[in-house]
Every structure is written in C-alpha cells, then in structure tokens.
Amino acid sequence: SVTVLLAVAFLGLVPTTIGYGLWAFALARMPAGRLASTTLAVPAIAIAMSWVVLGEVPTLLAIVGGALALAGVLVIAGGLTPVGQALA
C-alpha cells in the first residue's frame, strides 16, 4: 500500500540523512581517525540502550563483546596501552 511505501521511504531517508549529517558535523570538528574509532563504541551503546529502554537483558557474550569494543576505543584514543607495547 502507499502508506507502507511512504513509511519505508521515510525510514530509509530520514535516519540516514540525520546520521550522515551528524557524522559530517563531527568530522568537521575532529580528526577522521579519532572519529572513526568512536564507531567501535556503537555496539556497546546499542546494548546498553536496549537494556535501559526496552528492558532486554544482554547475554554474557554481548557484555563481553561490548567491553572489548569499548577497550578498543580506549586503546585507540590512547587511554590504555596494548599488552604487547607495555612489555616492550
């Protein structure tokens, strides 16, 4: 139906436009490498939001994966030293 097609078009265009617009806004204000590293935080943030907003309790594997993703962000941002570099 027309309503369904309009809804699909809306969901395809509006969130995409907002997402790319925010990405361009942030990219104009910080280095691309640092901004790219923040995308690693998206899975952990999505897990936390689904827990808080929807009441979906994450599995142990999801928690471990989110923690690893956040640790990757910290390593890239310079907040943690990778184990191999700490010993060198």
Side-chain angles (χ1 to χ4, degrees):
S1 74
V2 175
T3 305
V4 172
L5 290 174
L6 288 174
V8 169
F10 176 83
L11 288 174
L13 294 174
V14 175
T16 302
T17 302
I18 292 170
Y20 278 111
L22 289 173
W23 180 265
F25 178 81
L27 191 55
R29 287 158 179 76
M30 67 188 312
R34 184 167 222 178
L35 183 60
S37 71
T38 62
T39 60
L40 293 173
V42 171
I45 292 169
I47 290 168
M49 286 179 63
S50 69
W51 193 357
V52 172
V53 175
L54 302 174
E56 295 181 2
V57 179
T59 63
L60 179 60
L61 187 59
I63 292 171
V64 170
L68 286 172
L70 291 177
V73 172
L74 287 174
V75 167
I76 291 170
L80 291 177
T81 305
V83 174
Q85 289 181 358
L87 300 175

